[in-house]
Amino acid sequence: MRVTDRVKEILSYYDGERPGVKANLARILMQGRTGGSGKVVILPVDQGFEHGPARSFALNPPAYDPHYVFELAIEARLSALAAPLGLLAAGADRFAGEIPLILKANSANSLGTVKDEAITAGVRDALELGCSAIGYTIYPGSERQYEMFEEVRAGAAEAKASGLAVVVWAYPRGGLIDGPGETALDVVAYGAQIAAQLGAHIIKVKPPTEAIATAEAERIYRESAVDLSQLSARVGEVVKAAFAGRRIVIFSGGPTRGTDDLLADVRAIRDGGGFGSIVGRNAFQRPRAEALAMLESMIDTYLGLSPSVRA
Amino acid sequence: MRVTDRVKEILSYYDGERPGVKANLARILMQGRTGGSGKVVILPVDQGFEHGPARSFALNPPAYDPHYVFELAIEARLSALAAPLGLLAAGADRFAGEIPLILKANSANSLGTVKDEAITAGVRDALELGCSAIGYTIYPGSERQYEMFEEVRAGAAEAKASGLAVVVWAYPRGGLIDGPGETALDVVAYGAQIAAQLGAHIIKVKPPTEAIATAEAERIYRESAVDLSQLSARVGEVVKAAFAGRRIVIFSGGPTRGTDDLLADVRAIRDGGGFGSIVGRNAFQRPRAEALAMLESMIDTYLGLSPSVRA
Amino acid sequence: MRVTDRVKEILSYYDGERPGVKANLARILMQGRTGGSGKVVILPVDQGFEHGPARSFALNPPAYDPHYVFELAIEARLSALAAPLGLLAAGADRFAGEIPLILKANSANSLGTVKDEAITAGVRDALELGCSAIGYTIYPGSERQYEMFEEVRAGAAEAKASGLAVVVWAYPRGGLIDGPGETALDVVAYGAQIAAQLGAHIIKVKPPTEAIATAEAERIYRESAVDLSQLSARVGEVVKAAFAGRRIVIFSGGPTRGTDDLLADVRAIRDGGGFGSIVGRNAFQRPRAEALAMLESMIDTYLGLSPSVRA
Amino acid sequence: MRVTDRVKEILSYYDGERPGVKANLARILMQGRTGGSGKVVILPVDQGFEHGPARSFALNPPAYDPHYVFELAIEARLSALAAPLGLLAAGADRFAGEIPLILKANSANSLGTVKDEAITAGVRDALELGCSAIGYTIYPGSERQYEMFEEVRAGAAEAKASGLAVVVWAYPRGGLIDGPGETALDVVAYGAQIAAQLGAHIIKVKPPTEAIATAEAERIYRESAVDLSQLSARVGEVVKAAFAGRRIVIFSGGPTRGTDDLLADVRAIRDGGGFGSIVGRNAFQRPRAEALAMLESMIDTYLGLSPSVRA
Amino acid sequence: MRVTDRVKEILSYYDGERPGVKANLARILMQGRTGGSGKVVILPVDQGFEHGPARSFALNPPAYDPHYVFELAIEARLSALAAPLGLLAAGADRFAGEIPLILKANSANSLGTVKDEAITAGVRDALELGCSAIGYTIYPGSERQYEMFEEVRAGAAEAKASGLAVVVWAYPRGGLIDGPGETALDVVAYGAQIAAQLGAHIIKVKPPTEAIATAEAERIYRESAVDLSQLSARVGEVVKAAFAGRRIVIFSGGPTRGTDDLLADVRAIRDGGGFGSIVGRNAFQRPRAEALAMLESMIDTYLGLSPSVRA
């Protein structure tokens, strides 16, 4: 399949980047049902590490098995599977060549109190496993934020030199940010900007709420008189914050919830110019058939097809 | 597209190899019209370096342009494009993600008298350009053969550690081998064995003639009473020499000649259990439309379809 | 264009420095409308990272796009563009060779409470992007100041060994310095001295106020009976603090404000012997035409031409 | 000065290359009187090393002084100055920023009998001296050709990683090539192809004669029925051999001779699609005024202006 | 003592070089009786290694003792002492700070047949011994010349990065050069040029004879109609060959001979613009008092004083 004009346009945003990085971005952008459309739907399965296995997998026990999540991503014809080292290593051989892999290279858990992540994998691992990208979480605002930025920078430089794409999960927290502030529009947009400045090719954020956390941003948004009551408008602001749409910004699905809610979000992401979804718990915590149906509907929505939800 | 059972079977020959290597082999095996069939057709364009630009491209001047050969490989829906550093670098950005690339990492020319090749690229280059494999020529028998083997070994080890597949062009020459001996059955088979022993994943040889270059090999072949008068039988012997078919062995097309001749070879390669063709001059020295028709017929033949030659 | 005598004189201040560093300083000093005059006007766009995207760009949304700020700097015929890694990487290919680039190599944000910066880029990045200089912020006085100095020193040594010029943003804060003290004359001059001692070739400071933060400095200034009521006199004191004018000292524009105010500052900087301005928000937060007119007036002022403000 | 459309087109041939490399190519292509036209005229002064100082400089003794050749290149408003380490180091400080420098990184002399060159400088030197490119001579065909190729490859990879452009002087000699063969059309074209495959951005060759050195090339050229009796047609063939014009190919001036002869060559280079001249002895062995007049006429010719020879 | 204007002028020839290198050159140029005059007289004692101890020292047995040669150089108030590692290490401690040292870093002997030298010391040794410079011999023309150039280049780069000056002994031999050719004017000049191109700060050559070894050089010298019958004129040609006098060129004394002969040479070196002498056997093979008298006369001659030979 030839790379489509829309995907070539997106690749052109990364001019000056090594061709190998573009080839790996193209792999993700041309994969699966959304392939060629400029939209992506990615399955992330790092919750076992981040939230613990019971919270993550007990609702749908087959998901304890790495092969299950590989098969789910492949069968749903998604764009990529993102996970930490151990999980990817448990399936990369058996499913070699079936779906682009994103190696989540730093990880935290919910047992401790330090707002930081450990580097748990490297570029060498990503190459050995045949990954297309490497990913890092940052916590802008936290006490360890600058150390995290430096780790991302080092890893990103090495990844790009090896032709790998770089994904950054931007989750502001700590510092001057309170709980609601973590998903406030200005804060989410700020996280996207920082990820772009650090050299991320793909940026993952949470869907922004109507909250504005900082007084100055609130004043400026108010003066600019843009109506931010709709999620689609807020998605547009976040995408603008990532170099005016020149970086692939995708939105997380959050905790498990109803399919209608999810699809409403997807429509808003699509209408606001977002590049897609990264949806984990809402996929692997549902029973397999239900998950596949939900993902099919999400993709239909991104492709502008009449949704075909059967759940 | 799911990796097919046939391709999974071929990948299983490489068990123990890093998943990234398998993913890159899968990329080549799943690409283009032969994708999934277990057969490959590869376009190599190293003749500008090896034979000189006039001899290589003056018959069909558009082929002087690297973009032309990228487009030819893509439009003909081949499995991969193989070329030296300069040529790949001249198209890897524009055609990122469109076709697997094989970086030819050593090169010789026809101006000198030393039977050797220079290392002209490395694994770092292959990663930066987004290649799926790196390739080396060896001259078993030549005065420099052992230095060449050592260079291949070093490059192959580094390539595998980076998840890249390794292709070896096995061209016995020099030493005890005279001109006709270079394509003698026992010699071609010997070259394939050496390539396999050096760790090649894909092995390129020339179609073997009926000649047997060494007395001992001739006696043994005679005693075994196998009928080697047909190319298909000889292809079978060469494939056996590469770990009983556990390595992908492909056959070169040689100097430009008629389509009927070429297709007869392809049938013999197919019937003898060969994995495909690597066809350069016969592709890029023909006018574009003629080349596309010829390649389509080659692929039809590999796929067992009724050939559709229009030339 | 031959390097002018004035620029050769400035370059002679850096005798003993590697010729590559001088060549890069010459590039900045010979670029644009002020080229050859010994004055520079630089566009810095690190506010997206430092203050957040909404505060920085929502007032003039086209500025969200990195290409916009490249074009603004080029069209206004400025001396250089300074920005963090991500922003420069988003335009360095398209605008290659059009304007000298300064890679801002450390970055902070306004979400956290730690007075520090993360190292977010390196000399290798600067070379790959074709930059003429690398830049660092220091916070003399802060709790992390000495770690910051050590990072600057290490980066500056590597930069000089690669022929790159070094820019230091000297922003005293924290420690014994209160809010008004950050722009007090003695403190600004102290920051300039520290930057010069760390090996900076170009030093950025804020225009100093009439405040004197330390009792000893106040006594000495009073005894010396210099009239410091005018900004031009204070600029002169800061320039003296940077090795008696042997280092290029430039002054920031601060928050967005009226053109008359800005031009008054520029006249004072010029009359006090300052080397130029680094003006970000006052440039990219204005509508494009207005920004170009303002920058033209600034440059006219530096060149001693009759200002041509049209805003 | 904005980069012209023609220069942007040339830079686009190098897509996928690092932005720093493009910026350095742009520097050369935008410099001097030919700046922006897509043509270049370069002064090389490596003859003191290659041929000896008396043969090189005694005809015009001021040329013994490195400052003289710097000034000649600058005053004639050429595109770049190319020379070995010692000569560049003797002027890089004084003339910092005045003209792009190309560091000739390997060198031979005419006292010995070995067809090889010594590595006499490296990328680190080029960066310290503020060079825009690094250059290597290769002798395709010679007994040491493959070692030379490997040295070029290693140097080129390091240069590109540092944002420097790579120039290759392609001088086939030795091996199967006799004296007249060194400038035979097919051999010159072969040298250009090899340089391009090794990753050169700029390729220097000698103007090809009507001779064809290899039987196969002669047959193919005869069959293709192209009239090669004119130098312009032969220049066209050589440019095609460098990736169909996607690499900057420039032609040497050879031993000192009359201005009319030189200008006739320049017209042929221009008409055949060559990118310019690299003219050493014909420039620095003439008295200064005569050299400036000759260079002015060369440039006039490239720019399509009525020549203004006054010699 | 202030650095004199003449020495400052010589140091200016090395503009762009690191200040530490200039400081070490200044140390040599300001030392001893010629200090400040721009002339140097250096004592080299590498003959024990190069020619064997009996040939070198038996004529004046006290010279077997390294302390003797240190004392000779110091008492004669010379500019520097040059010797291999072992000899310098035997006196560097006792005579620390008394005279600049030049570590001869490669060495050959007269027992073998290979025209090459071994690297027998390094920059680290030079720093540990407190040397001001490091020195290398090259044999332009020999079969190993290019390897020698590469060793010099590597050593010189490291030396300069450590602030050490670099001395090159340029002795063309082998290849196309016969015995008389080794001291032919054009060949000596060629050696000086190569040393300068390799980055030498101080170049040692033999006084050139009237012979011209190459036909082309002879033609050019004849055409230029310069009278080369006097040594002073030939010295002038050699000095021109080292960047028109921008490098310190010094001349060896050769085998032991009469003081009148030596002083005649010195006058010619002085009148031709040479920078001084490096005189070994003629110094340490004479009895101490005689040697001191001869050196005093040499220095008187360089300083333009009425010679005061008492021998």
Side-chain angles (χ1 to χ4, degrees), chain A residues 15-16 18 140-141 143 145-147 149-150 153 172 174-177 187 189-190 193-194 196-199 216-217 220-221 223-224 237 240-241 243-244 246-247, chain C residues 48-55 58-59 64-67 84-87 89-90 93 107-114 116 118-122 125 128 144 151:
Chain A
D15 261 356
R18 290 171 179 82
E143 284 180 23
Q145 64 169 332
Y146 296 145
E147 289 78 4
F149 293 176
E150 291 176 357
R153 191 202 83 79
L176 303 173
I177 308 165
V187 170
Y190 203 159
Q193 165 78 13
I194 288 171
Q197 293 284 22
L198 290 173
E216 291 192 336
I220 288 168
Y221 277 128
E223 285 176 6
S224 69
E237 290 299 314
K240 274 198 294 188
F243 295 168
R246 294 182 175 280
R247 292 295 173 266
Chain C
F49 204 132
E50 304 276 334
H51 307 154
R55 272 174 65 187
L59 286 174
Y64 278 111
D65 186 347
H67 288 197
L85 179 67
L87 194 154
D93 183 85
S107 300
N109 62 31
S110 54
L111 297 172
T113 58
V114 178
D116 194 5
I119 298 293
T120 53
D125 300 304
E128 293 193 358
R144 300 267 182 105
E151 288 167 350

Side-chain angles (χ1 to χ4, degrees), chain E residues 25 53 55 101 117 138 160 169 177 181 204 219 277 311:
Chain E
L25 286 170
R55 269 175 69 191
L101 302 178
E117 300 237 330
I138 55 172
K160 292 174 187 181
W169 277 245
I177 308 166
K204 180 200 175 183
R219 184 178 53 79
S277 291

